[in-house]
Amino acid sequence: MNGFDLQGLFTFWSRRWDDILELALQHIAVVALSVLLATVIGVLIGIAVWNRPVPRSLTIAAAGVALTIPSLALLALITPVFGLGWTPTVISLIFYSLLPIVRNTAVGLREVSPAIMESAKGMGMSPAKILFTIQLPIAWPIILTGVRVAAQLTIGIAAIAAYVAGPGLGQLIFQGLSSLGSKNALNFALSGTLGVVILALLVDGAFVLITRLTTSRGLRV
Amino acid sequence: MSDSTATRATTDAASADSTQSGVAITLDKVTKVYPGQETPAVDDFSMSVRPGELVMFVGPSGCGKTTTMKMINRIIEPSSGSIAIDGRDVLSLNPNELRRHIGYVIQQIGLFPHMTIAENIAVVPRLLGWSKQKIADRVDELLQTVQLDPGTFAARYPKQLSGGQQQRVGVARALAADPPVMLMDEPFGATDPITREKLQAEFLRLQESIGKTIIFVTHDFDEAIRLGDRIAVLSDRSQIEQFDTPANILSGPANDYVRSFIGQGAALKRLALIPVTDAKLKAASGASGVPSVPVEASLRDALDALVLAGVPAIDVVDGDGRAVGAVSVEAISEVLGAELPGVPPAGA
């Protein structure tokens, strides 16, 4: 095995930057799609169970089960049903994203202070109106944090999806791992890994911005 | 402060005319039993509240006064009995619709942190479908009424306001849709004593001009004396020990329980409710530079000044500084003596 060749890495990048970029964009796309769908599903579930103790515990436990299943195993399990590529990737990424989103939604809605809930009720708001105009806006920063955690999780897990021919930078990593010993094996693996790390940082930064922009000024600490 | 309580006694009769917008509230044998508990929290409570009246519910923690109040707007549903506002049975109305026409102020205020002050106040008007312009005008009007400058405060958020300011916004918010009835649960309880005194004074002034029917829950008997048109002294299971005007309760407590609320200094507390002009004034000394009391003061202010100055009599001066008479300690005692039922006035 050769020692690490930095010059070789730069040459590698200058020759394949368009491929790398395309994979990076695919990676972002599959993560964005999955997290978006998971947010819609997760927030709806959170809204349904936030004030019902038994359903709430059950759904949070169920969502938590996902995190105990190794991602490789989950992908392998669903491939016979859903095939290869985007579909199993998106499905398993949604599954992993649900726990932080559902739990944060339920917790965020519950933590709205009783004084606020009572005064909203005393003013003649129906429970649905209170949910949408009072609770959700107040819980929004907490929910968004759940989405941010989910995004961080899925950026990493999405790399593993390459195992089922899923999109994204994982393909670079796997190409490198499966061709160990060849000239560019290390470069492939490194590029994929670095790309995932950079994406994670960028996405986190984007969430900081989104949180600032969408949170009411009255709520910002 | 104490001057407005003195004049309030004389304007009681006047308050039941055109300036009041309140309606009558009737509670008939209202009971609340929580499941699993054998004693009711509220047991067979009956009361008639007149339009424009400010009724205080006073009692120790846990006596059921807040529970009773919360049944009027059905935050808590009664187990049995009936409640009527302006003759209409509360239990037959849609609860949300009912609450939009009842002002509700709680101790922790509960301002919505994600909305500006203006948006907070606008909540009920928007629920009722008012036009934007009408809402904006109303917000300005209410902020001025609670002595917060609209230009400064309308666009601020609750976290930028002090406790006393938040409390005022809470009252403004409850008044927004001009409800005929207001329910207030220890609204000034979470503020410091100085702010509370100011808020009470402003509230009295406000009630004089708007005259709504208000149920005001407090555990502070002195607050009840100061603010209420009538006071209901409540004991366990929300039993009414006495329901009467502050003056009547102070001069004639119904039983030892009520007496325990009054505590020491009942006579002094009564004096705070009586204007100094009720006493027989002697000729004024007319001397300048000596202590005096304004003509709007109460008898307690006069006694306070007399004790401080150590003189037998003190001048009462009007707004232009002219002495209209002099009040002495004997004259003050005579007022109290004259109020005792069955005792002939001394030195007539």
Side-chain angles (χ1 to χ4, degrees):
Chain A
M1 187 106 120
N2 313 344
F4 180 59
D5 175 14
L6 191 61
Q7 190 54 47
L9 183 61
F10 290 158
T11 319
F12 179 81
W13 283 349
S14 64
R15 286 212 197 108
R16 295 166 208 262
W17 67 267
D18 45 349
D19 283 338
I20 297 177
L21 191 61
E22 186 186 327
L23 288 174
L25 289 175
Q26 274 186 15
H27 201 101
I28 292 256
V30 75
V31 167
L33 177 65
S34 310
V35 170
L36 216 72
L37 288 174
T39 304
V40 170
I41 300 172
V43 169
L44 284 175
I45 296 177
I47 290 177
V49 303
W50 74 274
N51 59 351
R52 296 189 205 138
V54 173
R56 183 175 68 236
S57 310
L58 284 177
T59 42
I60 291 184
V65 161
L67 290 182
T68 65
I69 304 178
S71 34
L72 213 49
L74 182 65
L75 283 166
L77 279 173
I78 68 176
T79 323
V81 183
F82 295 106
L84 299 172
W86 277 74
T87 313
T89 309
V90 170
I91 291 177
S92 55
L93 289 182
I94 291 178
F95 194 32
Y96 283 109
S97 302
L98 280 180
L99 174 65
I101 297 177
V102 170
R103 188 169 56 190
N104 278 33
T105 303
V107 167
L109 291 177
R110 285 186 74 199
E111 285 204 342
V112 175
S113 86
I116 293 177
M117 294 296 287
E118 189 179 318
S119 83
K121 188 176 174 190
M123 293 169 84
M125 288 191 190
S126 65
K129 195 142 180 80
I130 298 179
L131 179 69
F132 286 106
T133 57
I134 307 291
Q135 281 177 284
L136 277 175
I138 293 179
W140 181 244
I142 299 177
I143 298 176
L144 206 53
T145 303
V147 177
R148 184 173 166 183
V149 167
Q152 291 301 306
L153 273 176
T154 53
I155 287 180
I157 297 176
I160 303 180
Y163 182 66
V164 292
L169 291 165
Q171 290 193 10
L172 282 177
I173 300 176
F174 272 101
Q175 190 157 354
L177 288 178
S178 60
S179 64
L180 269 180
S182 74
K183 183 178 77 145
N184 275 324
L186 203 54
N187 293 334
F188 272 110
L190 262 180
S191 307
T193 311
L194 273 176
V196 170
V197 169
I198 292 174
L199 273 187
L201 291 172
L202 286 176
V203 164
D204 209 47
F207 265 98
V208 171
L209 216 72
I210 295 174
T211 309
R212 279 220 107 203
L213 289 174
T214 58
T215 303
S216 158
R217 278 189 55 220
L219 291 173
R220 280 190 224 140
V221 178
Chain B
M1 293 170 294
S2 35
D3 48 337
S4 57
T5 52
T7 52
R8 188 166 51 81
T10 53
T11 57
D12 256 343
S15 71
D17 62 9
S18 57
T19 54
Q20 62 92 353
S21 61
V23 297
I25 306 177
T26 317
L27 296 103
D28 187 30
K29 297 202 182 61
V30 176
T31 302
K32 176 67 185 174
V33 185
Y34 283 105
Q37 290 184 0
E38 37 176 76
T39 47
V42 176
D43 198 0
D44 208 46
F45 186 96
S46 300
M47 178 184 279
S48 280
V49 180
R50 301 177 200 133
E53 195 175 19
L54 169 48
V55 168
M56 312 292 291
F57 283 6
V58 185
S61 294
C63 69
K65 56 191 190 293
T66 302
T67 308
T68 309
M69 185 193 86
K70 286 188 185 181
M71 286 197 273
I72 298 176
N73 68 349
R74 296 178 65 185
I75 294 282
I76 297 177
E77 294 281 358
S79 306
S80 68
S82 68
I83 303 175
I85 297 182
D86 202 18
R88 291 160 68 195
D89 178 23
V90 145
L91 297 173
S92 67
L93 301 171
N94 172 279
N96 296 326
E97 187 59 41
L98 166 73
R99 293 180 200 132
R100 284 173 210 161
H101 299 281
I102 298 180
Y104 189 54
V105 186
I106 55 177
Q107 185 174 358
Q108 313 93 321
I109 316 166
L111 289 183
F112 305 133
H114 62 298
M115 295 183 180
T116 62
I117 300 302
E119 286 164 349
N120 262 280
I121 297 178
V123 171
V124 181
R126 283 177 69 185
L127 283 175
L128 293 174
W130 287 19
S131 74
K132 268 195 173 166
Q133 189 54 49
K134 192 174 170 194
I135 294 179
D137 292 339
R138 183 72 175 149
V139 168
D140 280 350
E141 182 191 335
L142 285 167
L143 282 173
Q144 276 167 8
T145 308
V146 296
Q147 316 216 324
L148 291 172
D149 172 41
T152 321
F153 286 97
R156 284 206 187 154
Y157 287 91
K159 68 174 186 180
Q160 296 167 292
L161 268 54
S162 72
Q165 291 167 336
Q166 288 186 18
Q167 202 50 276
R168 283 179 230 202
V169 173
V171 174
R173 188 174 65 164
L175 288 170
D178 203 24
V181 169
M182 281 183 67
L183 303 177
M184 307 178 76
D185 183 11
E186 312 212 38
F188 308 143
T191 53
D192 62 271
I194 297 174
T195 311
R196 193 179 316 152
E197 166 114 36
K198 276 195 68 186
L199 288 173
Q200 286 170 350
E202 285 173 22
F203 180 70
L204 271 179
R205 253 197 313 269
L206 189 61
Q207 173 63 353
E208 253 161 63
S209 60
I210 60 177
K212 298 199 179 299
T213 309
I214 303 181
I215 306 283
F216 190 122
V217 167
T218 180
H219 62 266
D220 182 350
F221 192 69
D222 291 327
E223 182 173 57
I225 301 262
R226 188 167 176 212
L227 300 179
D229 293 330
R230 278 197 290 175
I231 302 174
V233 182
L234 303 175
S235 60
D236 272 346
R237 291 172 296 121
S238 209
Q239 297 305 291
I240 304 176
E241 299 292 339
Q242 191 171 4
F243 182 38
D244 210 335
T245 63
N248 288 351
I249 291 182
L250 282 175
S251 53
N255 53 33
D256 282 336
Y257 182 82
V258 179
R259 223 166 268 129
S260 72
F261 270 93
I262 299 173
Q264 301 293 75
L268 289 175
K269 292 182 187 179
R270 285 172 59 198
L271 290 178
L273 300 173
I274 306 170
V276 69
T277 43
D278 270 15
K280 281 229 294 281
L281 301 177
K282 308 192 294 203
S285 71
S288 61
V290 295
S292 62
V293 286
V295 72
E296 320 86 38
S298 68
L299 280 182
R300 193 170 80 169
D301 296 333
L303 185 60
D304 191 73
L306 277 168
V307 168
L308 265 179
V311 295
I314 198 166
D315 281 350
V316 179
V317 297
D318 65 12
D320 305 313
R322 268 171 315 153
V324 298
V327 64
S328 65
V329 178
E330 290 88 16
I332 294 177
S333 299
E334 199 181 310
V335 174
L336 281 184
E339 294 214 333
L340 278 173
V343 175

